[in-house]
Amino acid sequence: MAGGSGNDEDYATSPVPFYGRGSWTTPFFAALGMATALIYMQLASVVTLQYGLVTAVLTVAYSTAASCGVAMVIACAAIRTGFGINLMARAVLGARGSVLFSLLFGFTTLVYFAVEANIMGAAIGEMTGGLALTFILPAVAIGMIPLVWFGMRFLGKFQAMTLIVYVVLLGAALVLSLKGAAPSAAGVAAMGASPLSLIGAIGIMNGLVFVTALVTADFARFVRQDIVKAGTVWMGGVFQLVAFGVSGVMGIWFALRYQVANPGVYLVTALGGGGALLALATQLRINLANMYLGSIAFTNAVEEMTPLRPPRHLMVVIFGVVAALVLLLHATHMIEAALNVIGLFSLCFTVLILVDILVVRREKWRNAGDSAFTQFAAWRWPAILSLLISSLLGNMTLWGTFGPSIVPAASIIAGVLQAALYVALSHRVPTRSNVTAV
């Protein structure tokens, strides 16, 4: 994946050219750093204990199928065009309109980075006998910069090596959980599925389903066009299958076995100090992906908002420094409240991309390998207006503005509204002239 200069160029603001691509293996292992995050297990555990075993199984099945379907469409488009998700945002929202997405996406990765770095800091504190978090947290953020500096090639190798640690420790936890008494599933497995409980459970998973499918593009763009089918299957299918299918089943099992939803609790219960090491390894893997994706998003935003052309390496350093300050000032709790809003925005944006690829501009995306996107519009108002309206009404539904009974269906309502509005507006609202070259 080296660029023409021989450096490991990550093409943060341009399509990945043919000489910058390779097999699906390196980006696949880099993406697995996200798929093995404990949040996938945790949400499955939450659904199990809150709604029952039957609902949990159906929800994991839905999450796996939906994420695979959506991600395969996005992965295929990314391989054909060489576009990461920020360039897809330029194609769909327009060059200027994409700034909003890049800022929100970068902000999201920063928040997730800070939240999960706190978990890492706590695990390190336990393993070092209570070393002060004031020293640990900034060191965690700054210490990741060298690991992300060298881009996709190194990231893929590092994630492949640490995957062994993850598999061994998780396998040990599973074996140990099989010993002793059978899972106490009374009152959990007996709870059947109802349409309302299933909608509520799907609502819990939907944000993660669509965000995970969305970021597939930033990894799949490094796959060669001549292996688009294999790349689509591995990046769009197998990646999501591990994230939601394998991790989801594990989350259900551990929730039934230990009657708690927090992996940090039941993994430590099963493995002791090994559980803390497993939590540390998984959080390190996901946070490397967060820093990588965030640096690309902020690079795109700065390029579109200013005449500057910052290198991604500079953004990696800035990301690490800002994250260290957020952690040092204990400011994470101040921005966590925004995650629900951003999550619904990401869901609507994912639906917007799907409708654009499959319906509104189907032929253009299908011929994207023949340089169909030679210029980006400055503003694509049908996409921008539909995204803002659906996100706003979806969040109002989530906040209970239209009554508490439909709150669990907020994500479903927002997604359907996004698709309908974009199709309707695309025939009525003009797009500003093409002014920005790819």
Side-chain angles (χ1 to χ4, degrees):
M1 299 195 184
S5 64
N7 297 321
D8 195 3
E9 176 61 66
D10 275 271
Y11 307 99
T13 60
S14 61
V16 181
F18 73 93
Y19 55 78
R21 304 191 189 200
S23 172
W24 53 265
T25 53
T26 294
F28 174 74
F29 282 114
L32 278 186
M34 293 190 62
T36 55
L38 294 183
I39 190 172
Y40 296 98
M41 292 175 61
Q42 183 168 358
L43 288 187
S45 298
V46 168
V47 169
T48 302
L49 297 179
Q50 186 170 337
Y51 294 102
L53 177 60
V54 176
T55 298
V57 171
L58 292 175
T59 302
V60 167
Y62 156 79
S63 301
T64 305
S67 61
C68 284
V70 174
M72 287 180 75
V73 173
I74 292 177
C76 182
I79 295 170
R80 289 180 183 276
T81 60
F83 287 2
I85 197 58
N86 290 278
L87 285 185
M88 285 190 177
R90 290 192 197 182
V92 177
L93 297 173
R96 300 293 180 262
S98 68
V99 171
L100 176 61
F101 169 79
S102 293
L103 286 175
L104 284 174
F105 187 65
F107 179 74
T108 302
T109 61
L110 179 61
V111 174
Y112 277 126
F113 183 97
V115 170
E116 299 189 42
N118 271 304
I119 299 174
M120 291 179 63
I124 294 174
E126 289 294 324
M127 296 170 66
T128 57
L131 185 64
L133 291 180
T134 303
F135 299 103
I136 295 175
L137 294 177
V140 165
I142 300 300
M144 289 189 187
I145 292 175
L147 297 176
V148 183
W149 180 273
F150 297 103
M152 182 63 68
R153 183 187 295 274
F154 180 80
L155 189 61
K157 290 181 179 179
F158 181 86
Q159 300 288 39
M161 290 186 293
T162 55
L163 180 63
I164 299 173
V165 177
Y166 172 83
V167 171
V168 170
L169 289 176
L170 186 61
L174 180 61
V175 170
L176 291 173
S177 72
L178 294 172
K179 298 180 178 180
S184 176
V188 177
M191 293 172 61
S194 68
L196 189 59
S197 68
L198 188 57
I199 290 175
I202 288 174
I204 291 175
M205 297 294 295
N206 257 345
L208 191 61
V209 166
F210 285 96
V211 168
T212 306
L214 203 62
V215 302
T216 303
D218 279 321
F219 299 101
R221 65 196 175 115
F222 287 99
V223 177
R224 299 195 314 269
Q225 288 180 325
D226 62 319
I227 53 171
V228 62
K229 290 184 178 179
T232 298
V233 170
W234 282 95
M235 299 304 307
V238 179
F239 166 37
Q240 309 295 324
L241 180 62
V242 173
F244 291 97
V246 176
S247 296
V249 170
M250 290 288 184
I252 291 174
W253 166 256
F254 285 117
L256 291 175
R257 179 67 181 86
Y258 297 106
Q259 295 294 294
V260 292
N262 190 335
V265 175
Y266 55 65
L267 291 177
V268 172
T269 301
L271 292 174
L277 180 60
L278 176 57
L280 178 62
T282 55
Q283 299 312 105
L284 174 62
R285 288 163 59 79
I286 181 62
N287 257 357
L288 289 175
N290 279 331
M291 181 177 281
Y292 176 76
L293 296 170
S295 66
I296 292 176
F298 285 126
T299 299
N300 274 272
V302 171
E303 182 177 276
E304 288 301 327
M305 289 189 300
T306 71
L308 302 176
R309 296 293 182 269
R312 187 190 65 86
H313 297 90
L314 175 61
M315 282 299 167
V316 169
V317 175
I318 293 174
F319 188 103
V321 171
V322 172
L325 290 175
V326 170
L327 291 166
L328 195 59
L329 297 173
H330 303 288
T332 307
H333 67 282
M334 299 173 59
I335 51 181
E336 283 185 58
L339 284 179
N340 283 335
V341 177
I342 296 173
L344 251 177
F345 179 90
S346 298
L347 183 152
C348 291
F349 178 73
T350 308
V351 173
L352 174 64
I353 284 187
L354 288 178
V355 174
D356 196 60
I357 293 174
L358 299 176
V359 181
V360 174
R361 296 191 293 174
R362 182 178 179 180
E363 290 303 318
K364 190 165 188 174
W365 283 99
R366 180 179 293 177
N367 298 323
D370 297 323
S371 302
F373 290 98
T374 56
Q375 286 185 315
F376 293 131
W379 305 90
R380 293 197 70 250
W381 288 112
I384 294 170
L385 291 175
S386 63
L387 180 60
L388 293 177
I389 293 171
S390 61
S391 298
L392 175 61
L393 292 179
N395 275 289
M396 290 174 66
T397 304
L398 186 65
W399 299 331
T401 305
F402 306 115
S405 61
I406 62 172
V407 169
S411 60
I412 297 174
I413 292 171
V416 172
L417 184 61
Q418 171 65 71
L421 276 175
Y422 182 47
V423 172
L425 291 175
S426 62
H427 300 296
R428 293 175 173 81
V429 180
T431 295
R432 289 287 293 274
S433 59
N434 293 337
V435 295
T436 305
V438 178

